[in-house]
Amino acid sequence: MAVVTGCLSEASSMYNAAKAAQIIAYLALKTPARSINMLKAIKLVYISDREALRRFGYPMLDEPRVSMRHGPVNSWTYDNAKGEVENASWAAVLDDRENHLIGVKPDITANELDELSDAEVEVLDEVWGKFGGMTQWQLVEWTHNSDNVPEWEDPGFSSDPIPLERVLRAVGIGNANEHARFLKDQAAVGRIFAELAK
């Protein structure tokens, strides 16, 4: 079953685009040029989100994940990175993409990335320490290895959903089905409170 990215709807109302942008900004700030290759950024977002699930039982971002030709991606973050979605919170910290790079606005510092918890920053630091020296193509190769990311399945030139349960099992969380239901219930409750707060 193919998944079409670029389709942010009511289901994405709890997706935190500002946080996704700040994750990429934080990673980009680790480079001397304050910019990062888009594909590399998307790979590092997936790896970081996956690591947060492994450590804490919660992802950094509440969004679907899909298998694509170049490996697994966080679907809505990928749509934002490609510029398929107009998003003020994304544009507030990240520069326009050119030459496949995403840059951080000149006035943004790590201290201003207030969507990220200390625990999430620690995950990002460790992921960067392990993977920051890799190119985007080395990361693609790494995420294609089933020893590293067993939840990814080659979709050819299409895309296929990666069920949350599959990611949870891959990172070693027991009772993956029950835990996935718990996370989905928590997200649903969050959406209800967000609607009531409007």
Side-chain angles (χ1 to χ4, degrees), residues 29-195:
L29 284 170
K30 291 187 167 294
T31 71
R34 294 172 53 99
S35 64
I36 188 169
N37 174 273
M38 186 184 81
L39 181 57
K40 178 173 179 170
I42 294 304
K43 298 289 107 190
L44 292 175
V45 167
Y46 184 87
I47 292 168
S48 299
D49 199 37
R50 185 181 193 273
E51 180 61 16
L53 263 177
R54 187 187 71 77
R55 288 189 190 192
F56 314 127
Y58 283 88
M60 289 186 183
L61 298 166
D62 179 20
E63 65 178 316
R65 292 150 193 88
V66 296
S67 289
M68 299 188 75
R69 184 165 57 102
H70 292 314
V73 300
N74 287 48
S75 183
W76 294 332
T77 298
Y78 181 52
D79 289 343
N80 275 284
K82 290 186 299 182
E84 291 186 0
V85 180
E86 297 255 348
N87 197 305
S89 57
W90 192 273
V93 296
L94 297 172
D95 276 329
D96 291 339
R97 294 145 298 279
E98 64 178 45
N99 299 321
H100 306 291
L101 294 176
I102 301 175
V104 183
K105 297 267 188 204
D107 56 333
I108 298 295
T109 66
N111 290 334
E112 294 169 272
L113 305 178
D114 56 359
E115 293 285 338
L116 305 176
S117 70
D118 290 344
E120 289 167 335
V121 166
E122 185 178 311
V123 168
L124 292 170
D125 285 342
E126 290 194 21
V127 166
W128 183 264
K130 185 173 181 182
F131 299 101
M134 291 186 181
T135 68
Q136 67 270 29
W137 301 116
Q138 289 170 325
L139 285 168
V140 166
E141 185 176 341
W142 190 88
T143 57
H144 279 193
N145 186 329
S146 61
D147 289 339
N148 301 325
V149 185
E151 67 269 23
W152 178 79
E153 296 174 349
D154 190 348
F157 288 94
S158 182
S159 61
D160 287 322
I162 302 175
L164 183 56
E165 295 85 346
R166 194 191 310 160
V167 183
L168 291 168
R169 276 192 294 275
V171 299
I173 292 180
N175 301 317
N177 292 342
E178 292 84 357
H179 194 76
R181 276 195 296 276
F182 168 76
L183 291 176
K184 289 170 186 172
D185 289 346
Q186 291 291 305
V189 169
R191 282 192 286 275
I192 290 168
F193 280 112
E195 285 299 316

